[in-house]
Amino acid sequence: MDGEPTVELIRAQLRRLRMNAGLSQEEFGKLVHFSGSQVSAIELGQRPFDRFFLKRADEVLNTGGLLIALLKIAERDKEPSWFLSWLDAVRQAQQLRCYQPLLVHGLLQTENYARAVIRANDMLSDDEVEKRVAARMDRQSILFSPDPPLYVAVIEETALRRADESFRGLMLEQIARVIEYAQHPHIHVHVIPATVAVHVGLSGPFSLARCRDGGWVGSQETQLGGDVVDKDEDVAILLARWESVRSEALSRQQSIELMKELMTSWS
């Protein structure tokens, strides 16, 4: 991704500036309200950074706003800051847990499905739609990297039934893709059946990434963007909600069988 070199530059500059200031990771951490181990994880790429952290680092290190300026370059090149931070966490993750109540999750989407979903935003030009589709397809490479994360996705049966006649072929292709991916040992897909009417996850999509340092980072999406969640108490809430959502879903094999039944009904 275009933004990734800038992300690495931000980490390198952070470390250089901290050392030039004569601060240990522990000393610097106290000044920005992080632990020394968290600072180390950020510098090593084991934990994402966010705008608040970089703004505070600029103030403590008296950089004249250098780190925030680099973040703005990364945003201009690719993604908004919250999503850039989340992509950074995903890239480093050992485990990914993703819940999506209304759509097939992005890492499972076919190109045609992704294009249809992105094109629903009529404020985007055709060029912007194609750029976003290409970026989404590129992000899926994380699932098939040499050392992929354990990826667990929970989706709703109702999301797999969201189609009219014109959408039928696209949905057949999409469900076939999910079934194909679900055969891989590191990819677990669980479907919440339509008979489960109400549960805590319906308040909105969220994802969790387990970083190399063992900590968890979450993300939540809204109509206007999203947020990266890294405060311990907030992450704990998302982990509890994940367990609740996951408990409502079918097993891996039951989910695959349900999806096969759906394909039969669509065809």
Side-chain angles (χ1 to χ4, degrees):
M1 281 173 255
D2 295 341
E4 287 188 2
T6 309
V7 169
E8 297 306 321
L9 176 61
I10 290 172
R11 294 188 192 283
Q13 288 297 319
L14 173 65
R15 184 173 186 276
R16 181 185 68 81
L17 291 164
R18 175 185 60 75
M19 294 179 69
N20 286 348
L23 297 171
S24 68
Q25 291 175 335
E26 196 70 35
E27 291 168 336
F28 176 68
K30 290 179 180 179
L31 294 173
V32 295
H33 311 302
F34 275 62
S35 68
S37 61
Q38 287 175 320
V39 172
S40 175
I42 288 172
E43 291 184 353
L44 292 172
Q46 298 172 346
R47 182 185 180 93
F49 51 75
D50 59 17
R51 183 178 293 273
F52 171 81
F53 173 82
L54 294 181
K55 183 176 184 296
R56 184 66 179 148
D58 274 334
E59 293 169 353
V60 168
L61 298 171
N62 194 28
T63 69
L66 173 64
L67 299 176
I68 287 294
L70 289 174
L71 180 61
K72 288 180 179 178
I73 291 173
E75 292 174 2
R76 182 197 65 198
D77 288 346
K78 199 64 182 176
E79 305 285 359
S81 59
W82 78 269
F83 196 52
L84 194 67
S85 298
W86 174 245
L87 291 180
D88 191 34
V90 169
R91 187 164 52 98
Q92 302 290 340
Q94 293 182 328
Q95 293 183 38
L96 288 173
R97 298 177 179 179
C98 305
Y99 168 69
Q100 172 57 258
L102 301 176
L103 300 167
V104 174
H105 188 256
L107 292 180
L108 298 172
Q109 291 178 6
T110 65
E111 183 174 331
N112 288 329
Y113 183 94
R115 182 174 290 107
V117 169
I118 293 170
R119 197 179 293 281
N121 182 351
D122 56 11
M123 297 179 66
L124 301 178
S125 67
D126 288 346
D127 285 346
E128 183 61 25
V129 168
E130 292 307 315
K131 286 179 182 178
R132 294 193 182 196
V133 170
R136 186 165 299 183
M137 295 301 100
D138 180 62
R139 288 195 288 273
Q140 293 182 0
S141 63
I142 186 68
L143 295 181
F144 301 101
S145 63
D147 184 24
L150 172 62
Y151 169 66
V152 185
V154 174
I155 56 180
E156 299 278 344
E157 179 185 350
T158 50
L160 301 175
R161 293 186 179 275
R162 291 173 66 89
D164 56 23
E165 287 296 325
S166 64
F167 215 54
R168 185 180 295 268
L170 187 152
M171 284 306 301
L172 280 170
E173 178 188 47
Q174 178 58 72
I175 297 172
R177 163 67 65 82
V178 178
I179 293 172
E180 174 194 349
Y181 278 20
Q183 309 295 329
H184 293 270
H186 67 288
I187 299 176
H188 300 194
V189 178
H190 301 273
V191 178
I192 296 180
T195 52
V196 180
V198 178
H199 60 81
V200 70
L202 294 177
S203 58
F206 64 93
S207 298
L208 289 152
R210 187 174 187 270
C211 304
R212 292 180 183 177
D213 65 354
W216 288 89
V217 177
S219 78
Q220 298 182 100
E221 297 179 41
T222 70
Q223 287 284 337
L224 298 178
D227 296 293
V228 172
V229 179
D230 58 5
K231 291 183 179 179
D232 290 345
E233 57 269 32
D234 294 336
V235 170
I237 291 172
L238 286 185
L239 284 168
R241 292 195 174 189
W242 168 264
E243 293 302 326
S244 178
V245 165
R246 173 64 189 85
S247 70
E248 299 287 358
L250 301 174
S251 69
R252 293 176 71 188
Q253 191 56 45
Q254 288 173 326
S255 297
I256 290 172
E257 293 303 319
L258 175 58
M259 288 187 284
K260 289 179 177 178
E261 291 175 10
L262 288 173
M263 287 190 68
T264 300
S265 69
W266 279 121
S267 59

